[in-house]
């Protein structure tokens, strides 16, 4: 029912648990032994008192979550552990318990009505994650019947969104972002204000504070959008600032976000240099670092980087005057072909561009051979 000890010890090392694997196994054995008496309040209270000598309710909530998520066999026990923690007033456990009963599992029918009631109760208590999930649920319910653009064009009277429910969902999301400062809600509201949608007007000045809050909480997508704002001067307190754009993109890139890796590579390659800039471009050109970041993004299959690398190895790079000679990139049609081929399977313009590149590369290979 539980992961092996090394996995549990790694979870402890990462901070999700404060007790070692041996104590986790002890706690689970205690719950299993007490199972027949857990239907009574006294039985549950006695178990909690015994467990409190080994771990906290927070740890017990994590153990219940691990049990429920790790295997089908562990779901009943995990759900019971989460219920015990819920009864002790742990709101995170109550949220996870609500999620567990909304799914159902062998021996427990899905109970969506009770799950929603618990979720609404948590929203009333201002539990951030519950408020965020509830807001998204309302928005999805209000808009899930909206047709795609092609269907809407064919329909004479396309169905409309449930405006009252959508409004409630958006207001709940906004409160979660502004009042509870929940990072995922800040990211969603920032994105909505930056690009518009769901009836929310575009307003970059309102978008940026939300995005920065989410970015400072460690959300890579928000870091990337902060960079976009600084690159364009949208909603930022100081207008355009390429260095700040680069700094945010580097943070997102180093967290593994492919599009941010591509943008960092483009900066290092000198793609953003413009003669219209009144001041020197703040990021020094560096071809080896550009290649490194392009390849990071290409490894994740980002078409932009795959195409750039295909073109780079097709044409090569000769250092400009004053640049280090080791920056040179030799023509390598085999590498160019590999990168171009990985784009050809995509639909639309990317696939067409990949095929066109592949034809050009194969033609050059034929001439050189």
């Amino acid at each position: 029912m539980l992961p092996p000890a090394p996995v549990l010890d790694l979870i402890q090392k990462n901070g999700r648990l404060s007790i070692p694997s041996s104590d986790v196994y002890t706690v689970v054995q205690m719950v299993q032994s007490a199972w027949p008496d857990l239907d009574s309040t006294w039985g549950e209270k006695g178990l909690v008192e015994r467990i409190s000598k080994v771990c906290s309710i927070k740890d017990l909530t994590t153990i219940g979550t691990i049990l429920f998520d790790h295997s089908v066999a562990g779901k009943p026990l995990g759900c019971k552990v989460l219920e015990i923690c819920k009864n002790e007033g742990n709101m995170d456990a109550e949220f996870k318990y609500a999620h567990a009963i909304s799914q159902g599992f062998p021996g427990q029918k899905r109970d969506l009505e009770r799950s929603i009631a618990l979720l609404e109760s948590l929203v009333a208590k201002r539990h951030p994650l519950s408020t965020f999930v509830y807001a998204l649920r309302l928005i999805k319910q209000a808009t899930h019947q909206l047709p795609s653009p092609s269907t809407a064009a064919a329909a004479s009277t396309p169905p409309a969104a449930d405006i009252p429910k959508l409004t409630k969902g958006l207001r709940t999301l906004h409160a979660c972002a502004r009042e509870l400062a929940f990072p995922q809600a800040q990211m969603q509201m920032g994105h909505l204000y930056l690009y518009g949608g769901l009836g929310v007007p575009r307003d970059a000045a309102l978008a940026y504070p939300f995005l920065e809050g989410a970015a400072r909480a460690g959300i890579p997508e928000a870091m990337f959008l902060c960079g976009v704002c600084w690159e364009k001067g949208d909603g930022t307190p100081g207008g355009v600032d390429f260095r700040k754009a680069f700094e945010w993109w580097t943070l997102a890139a180093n967290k593994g976000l492919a599009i941010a890796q591509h943008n960092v590579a483009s900066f290092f390659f000198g793609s953003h240099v413009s003669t219209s800039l009144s001041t020197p471009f703040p990021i020094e050109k560096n071809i080896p670092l550009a290649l490194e970041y392009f390849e990071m993004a290409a490894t994740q299959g980002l078409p932009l980087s795959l195409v750039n690398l295909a073109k780079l190895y097709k044409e090569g790079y000769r250092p400009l005057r004053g640049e280090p000679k080791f920056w040179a990139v030799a023509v390598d049609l085999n590498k160019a072909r590999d990168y171009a081929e990985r784009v050809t399977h995509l639909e639309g313009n990317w696939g067409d561009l990949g095929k066109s590149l592949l034809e050009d590369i194969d033609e050059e290979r034929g001439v050189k051979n």
Side-chain angles (χ1 to χ4, degrees), residues 50-207:
R50 293 194 297 276
I51 288 176
S52 66
K53 297 175 182 178
V54 182
C55 74
S56 65
I57 291 298
K58 181 180 177 182
D59 279 330
L60 189 59
T61 297
T62 302
I63 293 170
T65 304
I66 293 170
L67 281 166
F68 188 85
D69 291 341
H70 182 66
S71 68
V72 174
K75 289 186 183 299
L77 189 62
C79 188
K80 188 62 182 178
V81 170
L82 290 172
E83 185 180 18
I84 290 170
C85 296
K86 170 186 77 70
N87 294 341
E88 290 298 309
N90 187 289
M91 288 194 285
D92 289 339
E94 188 171 352
F95 173 80
K96 288 166 184 173
Y97 177 74
H99 175 68
I101 63 174
S102 74
Q103 290 185 324
F105 50 87
Q108 172 69 51
K109 290 183 179 180
R110 186 182 185 205
D111 192 343
L112 193 58
E113 185 176 346
R114 188 179 175 208
S115 172
I116 293 170
L118 287 170
L119 189 64
E120 290 176 339
S121 170
L122 285 166
V123 172
K125 298 172 192 173
R126 296 171 65 82
H127 182 245
L129 179 56
S130 299
T131 305
F132 176 65
V133 170
Y134 185 65
L136 294 188
R137 176 181 172 81
L138 288 172
I139 292 168
K140 184 177 180 181
Q141 286 178 337
T143 60
H144 80 284
Q145 293 183 340
L146 288 176
S148 64
S150 58
T151 308
S156 55
T157 54
D162 183 337
I163 299 302
K165 184 171 284 188
L166 176 60
T167 302
K168 183 179 179 181
L170 289 170
R171 284 177 176 170
T172 304
L173 182 65
H174 189 273
C176 188
R178 184 174 180 180
E179 298 169 20
L180 304 182
F182 190 62
Q184 284 83 354
Q186 291 175 324
M187 168 64 201
Q188 293 291 335
M189 280 310 309
H191 189 279
L192 278 172
Y193 277 127
L194 189 61
Y195 295 110
L198 299 178
V200 177
R202 294 181 64 178
D203 191 328
L206 290 176

Side-chain angles (χ1 to χ4, degrees), residues 44-364:
E44 185 175 304
K45 286 291 182 185
L47 175 63
V48 170
E49 286 178 9
R50 293 194 297 276
I51 288 176
S52 66
K53 297 175 182 178
V54 182
C55 74
S56 65
I57 291 298
K58 181 180 177 182
D59 279 330
L60 189 59
T61 297
T62 302
I63 293 170
T65 304
I66 293 170
L67 281 166
F68 188 85
D69 291 341
H70 182 66
S71 68
V72 174
K75 289 186 183 299
L77 189 62
C79 188
K80 188 62 182 178
V81 170
L82 290 172
E83 185 180 18
I84 290 170
C85 296
K86 170 186 77 70
N87 294 341
E88 290 298 309
N90 187 289
M91 288 194 285
D92 289 339
E94 188 171 352
F95 173 80
K96 288 166 184 173
Y97 177 74
H99 175 68
I101 63 174
S102 74
Q103 290 185 324
F105 50 87
Q108 172 69 51
K109 290 183 179 180
R110 186 182 185 205
D111 192 343
L112 193 58
E113 185 176 346
R114 188 179 175 208
S115 172
I116 293 170
L118 287 170
L119 189 64
E120 290 176 339
S121 170
L122 285 166
V123 172
K125 298 172 192 173
R126 296 171 65 82
H127 182 245
L129 179 56
S130 299
T131 305
F132 176 65
V133 170
Y134 185 65
L136 294 188
R137 176 181 172 81
L138 288 172
I139 292 168
K140 184 177 180 181
Q141 286 178 337
T143 60
H144 80 284
Q145 293 183 340
L146 288 176
S148 64
S150 58
T151 308
S156 55
T157 54
D162 183 337
I163 299 302
K165 184 171 284 188
L166 176 60
T167 302
K168 183 179 179 181
L170 289 170
R171 284 177 176 170
T172 304
L173 182 65
H174 189 273
C176 188
R178 184 174 180 180
E179 298 169 20
L180 304 182
F182 190 62
Q184 284 83 354
Q186 291 175 324
M187 168 64 201
Q188 293 291 335
M189 280 310 309
H191 189 279
L192 278 172
Y193 277 127
L194 189 61
Y195 295 110
L198 299 178
V200 177
R202 294 181 64 178
D203 191 328
L206 290 176
Y208 187 78
F210 283 124
L211 292 172
E212 187 173 8
R216 294 195 182 282
I219 297 180
E221 294 79 5
M223 296 173 182
F224 172 75
L225 289 178
C226 282
V228 170
C229 289
W230 281 108
E231 181 197 29
K232 298 178 179 178
D234 285 347
T236 55
V240 173
D241 190 321
F242 286 115
R243 179 167 291 282
K244 286 185 178 178
F246 177 79
E247 288 170 354
W248 279 118
W249 284 338
T250 302
L251 288 171
N254 292 340
K255 281 184 169 286
L257 191 66
I259 186 61
Q261 291 167 345
H262 176 87
N263 282 13
V264 169
S266 297
F267 265 44
F268 278 131
F269 202 78
S271 303
H272 282 67
V273 176
S274 170
T275 54
S276 65
L277 290 174
S278 57
T279 57
F281 191 68
I283 310 304
E284 289 186 11
K285 189 174 179 180
N286 190 314
I287 298 301
L289 281 176
L291 272 174
E292 186 177 332
Y293 277 97
F294 275 139
E295 286 170 357
M296 286 181 195
T299 299
Q300 298 189 62
L302 188 74
L304 273 168
S305 292
L306 288 167
V307 167
N308 277 15
L309 286 168
K311 289 179 177 179
L312 181 59
Y313 283 111
K314 175 179 174 287
E315 299 166 5
Y317 180 81
R318 180 178 296 177
L320 303 176
R321 181 178 295 178
E323 293 181 350
K325 291 183 179 180
F326 70 85
W327 282 10
V329 178
V331 171
D332 188 331
L333 295 180
N334 289 328
K335 274 190 176 181
R337 194 182 196 286
D338 288 343
Y339 285 119
E341 195 169 29
R342 288 168 60 188
V343 187
T344 56
H345 70 281
L346 300 176
E347 295 181 0
N349 293 336
W350 285 118
D352 293 340
L353 181 56
K355 289 169 188 173
S356 175
L357 262 173
L358 204 58
E359 288 176 6
D360 291 345
I361 293 165
D362 284 342
E363 185 177 336
E364 287 194 30

